[in-house]
Every structure is written in structure tokens, then in C-alpha cells.
Amino acid sequence: MAERRDDAWRMLMARPEPAPMDNGLAVTSLAAVKAVLKEPNRFSAKKAFDAVETGYPLIPLAFDPPEQTHYRRILQPFFGPRRIRALEESLRAQAIDLVEAVKARGGCDFVADIAVPFPAQALLTLLGLPLADRDRFIESKNAALELTADAAGELTLTDEERAARVEQTMALGNYLGELIQTRRAQPGDDILSEILAIDGDDHLSDTEAMGVCLMLVLAGLETVTDALSLAMERLATHPGRRRELVEDPSLVPAAVEELLRLDPPAPFLPRVTTEDVEIAGCPVPAGTLVNTHLTTANRDETCWPRPHDIDFHRPDNPHTSFGVGVHRCLGTHLARLEMQLLFEEWHRRIPEYAIAEGTSPRARLVRANIGMESLRLTIPTA
């Protein structure tokens, strides 16, 4: 997975379905993935997220219908295409500033210099917060995710490291809690203020509002960072595809979809069966963890000819990378906008780039997310 992730996905696709895992089963085909994700009452997201310690419910991610339906109905209008497009001018200017900075230096670590800060700035912009808060926001987010990985056995922290991460995570909670109180008392011209202003049956308590904010931070930032880093690694190692974007910028939206198809940043979505079910003819008892593998589903050759190839000219690209069914990603439009703006402005200003000599980019799979550890790029000077 670290060095040849395409081979890893091919190996998984070659196994019988459902494939046994250490603590459950994996479904890999497009048909099975869709079947599981479209039946939230039989395959529960809430039960899968019960083990994730955040202190607050991740709304609407960690709920099943009808609660999930209620929260989704409240939040959906604030994340639709028209509302997100209103951020385009500001986010484009921010993307240009980040790209120009690395261009001036003649190289960068794309992950640290672009893929990490840009999504953080986008979320701060969405919430109407100063970009000066970016770095401490990122540090607190990383601390919270590392604690989650430590609890899941995917990362080992020393007692001292764990205590420091707890302190940073508490700082994030305090930051968001103070933000909610400030926005209730003095609403601003931002989406959070509008969400908090909802009254009647749809009014969100402070606890629910915190759950929404944490969902945006923990489920939104890392995925876009990883999507950007994986996509750029593909482009850096496929100069022919990169040149297509330089010569025809109108291809960028299709390129984003194709790169997301090949590399979903959250490559599998966990569910837990609520009753005895059958998957691909195999009986599965209630209480079984079932991981739906989006990356393998996205390489179904009956839907995508030459599924392992990069092709920016596919007539249709109905990938599953944002999920399927009622839990389809709430931040889809924001993530797409971030990726499109960044790749438009990067290739307009930096048509030539390459992986730095002597470096070997590696992907890392942790916390059910996959992304590049780092991606050092060199940029030829004029």
C-alpha cells in the first residue's frame, strides 16, 4: 500500500467476496458496496462510529435514519452548490497565494505547503474565521486524529505524547465552544451563524452544534488534504496527463473526478450489521463489521473500461468516492471546489514539475484514510 497501492487494490479485488479481515469482512465489488451503503437500517453507520471517541456526536456522519435524515435535512441547504460557489473568489485568491509562494522557492513539499494549509483555510473561510488561526487549528486537528488512531491501535503514543495531544484536543474543543457562543450572541455573515440561528424543531443545541463543527474538522480537513496529495502524486508521475491539464484547463473538473475515482481519500466506509444478512451468497450474522471498499468498487471494469488507467475523457464517472446513499458526503461541493481551484491555479502557474530526485513518495493508511506522507516536488526556474 505504501509504495504500490494500485497493486494492493488489485490483490484485494482478486479475493473472493466478502473477504475476511481481522475484525470483520470486506466487500469490494461495485454492486455489493452500493447494496450495503444503500441499506442504512441493516448496515449501521452509528454502530460503526460508536467506538470513535470524540466526546461529541459527529453530526450527521455517526447517525442512522431517522436521526441522520433529520440532521441532513437541516444542514444540506448550507452545503449546496450555490452556497459553496459564493466562496470561490476568496478561495481562488488563497490558492494563488500558496502556489506563488512555492513557485518562488523553486520547489516544495506539496503535502505540508499546499495540501494541509489550503483545506484548513477553506474551512476557516466557510466559518468566517481569521486565516491567522490556521496553524493552531491544524495542530489541534492533528492531535485529535492521532488520539483516535492511538485508541484504535494504529498509532502508539507515549504517555507524554498522549497527554500533549489531549491538551491540544481540549484546546480545539474550547475554541469551537467559544466560537459557537460568540456566533449565537453576535451572528456573522457565515454559514455557522445561519445554522445556529435556526429555531423551532430544527434548532441545534450547543452539543449538537459542536458535533457539526467537529464533523467538519475531523471528517473534512484530512480527506481533502489526502485527496489533493494523492492526486498530485498521480500527476507528477504521469507527465502526459499533467500536460493535458496545462494545455486544456477545461479538463480540470473531469480530472478531479478521475483522480478521486482512483484514489478515494477514505478508501473504505465501515458499517455494522443490525441483523443477520447475506452478502454475495454468504450468511453474515448481526453485529459484524463490514467495510465497503470504495477504491475497488471504483475499478469495476463493467462501469469503467481500463479501470486502472487515468483517463480524463471518460463520458461518465459515477464513482463512489463521496459515498453512496443517505450518507453521501455533505462536503462534496466544497471538496470539489477546493481541488478544482488548486489544480487550475497550480497548472496555470507551474506547468512543469517533478518529484524531487532522491525522494520516494510513500502513502500511509491510518484512521481509515489514505494519503501521501510527503511529496517533495522540484519546479524548474525560468
Side-chain angles (χ1 to χ4, degrees), residues 62-375:
F63 285 85
D64 296 326
E67 293 87 357
Q68 186 271 348
T69 307
H70 169 70
Y71 289 128
R72 183 82 182 206
R73 179 180 56 77
I74 295 171
L75 297 172
Q76 185 67 53
F78 298 100
F79 295 89
R82 183 178 300 176
R83 297 301 301 272
I84 296 303
R85 276 290 168 187
L87 304 175
E88 180 175 350
E89 182 177 355
S90 176
L91 294 185
R92 187 181 293 278
Q94 294 172 37
I96 291 171
D97 287 344
L98 290 169
V99 172
E100 288 288 359
V102 302
K103 179 182 178 181
R105 294 200 304 269
C108 67
D109 177 351
F110 184 85
V111 176
D113 296 330
I114 302 288
V116 169
F118 188 49
Q121 291 183 191
L123 182 56
L124 289 170
T125 303
L126 180 76
L127 298 177
L129 293 169
L131 298 187
D133 289 350
R134 184 193 73 188
D135 291 344
R136 69 167 177 158
F137 199 69
I138 292 169
E139 289 176 3
S140 296
K141 177 265 298 183
N142 288 341
L145 292 172
E146 286 179 9
L147 283 176
T148 301
D150 181 58
E154 298 175 337
L155 182 69
T156 302
L157 299 174
T158 66
D159 291 343
E160 184 176 348
E161 289 171 334
R162 192 174 296 109
R165 303 301 188 276
V166 168
E167 184 176 351
Q168 289 176 301
T169 301
M170 290 177 64
L172 175 63
N174 292 336
Y175 178 95
L176 294 174
E178 291 173 6
L179 172 64
I180 290 167
Q181 295 307 316
T182 299
R183 290 291 190 267
R184 286 201 191 280
Q186 299 174 320
D189 184 19
D190 60 89
I191 284 176
L192 180 60
S193 293
E194 294 184 44
I195 292 173
L196 295 174
I198 297 172
D199 55 16
D201 293 341
D202 291 343
H203 175 77
L204 297 181
S205 67
D206 287 351
T207 297
E208 291 172 318
M210 181 68 86
V212 172
C213 289
L214 282 174
M215 184 270 297
L216 292 174
V217 173
L218 300 182
L221 293 190
E222 195 79 351
T223 50
V224 180
T225 289
D226 290 340
L228 285 169
S229 71
L230 292 165
M232 183 55 89
E233 190 266 348
R234 293 271 181 195
L235 292 170
T237 53
H238 293 79
R241 303 289 78 73
R242 180 188 73 219
R243 283 192 290 271
E244 285 189 77
L245 301 187
V246 172
E247 294 168 3
D248 185 1
S250 69
L251 280 176
V252 168
V256 166
E257 298 307 309
E258 178 70 348
L259 295 167
L260 281 169
R261 178 187 72 84
L262 286 166
D263 287 304
F268 56 86
L269 300 178
R271 297 292 185 262
V272 174
T273 55
T274 60
E275 59 185 63
D276 293 348
V277 298
E278 188 173 284
I279 299 175
C282 175
V284 178
T288 300
L289 175 66
V290 177
N291 274 316
T292 58
H293 281 257
L294 308 184
T295 310
T296 56
N298 286 349
R299 296 170 185 233
D300 188 320
E301 62 183 4
T302 64
C303 187
W304 294 276
R306 307 177 317 282
H308 301 288
D309 294 348
I310 304 175
D311 183 354
F312 297 157
H313 303 275
R314 296 185 186 276
D316 193 22
N317 205 338
H319 61 75
T320 67
S321 298
F322 289 115
V324 175
V326 298
H327 279 286
R328 182 173 171 79
C329 176
L330 187 66
T332 296
H333 301 295
L334 179 58
R336 282 190 167 116
L337 179 62
E338 291 176 59
M339 295 185 71
Q340 289 176 17
L341 293 178
L342 194 284
F343 287 131
E344 284 174 6
E345 299 305 332
W346 177 283
H347 291 94
R348 182 174 291 125
R349 288 164 171 77
I350 307 176
E352 296 293 332
Y353 54 93
I355 293 175
E357 189 174 345
T359 65
S360 299
R362 291 172 58 86
R364 51 100 183 96
L365 179 61
V366 65
R367 298 186 306 269
N369 280 30
I370 186 171
M372 303 305 299
E373 293 176 347
S374 66
L375 184 62

Side-chain angles (χ1 to χ4, degrees), residues 17-38:
E17 187 178 51
M21 305 181 345
D22 288 344
N23 56 351
L25 298 172
V27 294
T28 57
S29 69
L30 180 62
V33 165
K34 285 184 173 181
V36 169
L37 295 180
K38 286 183 176 181

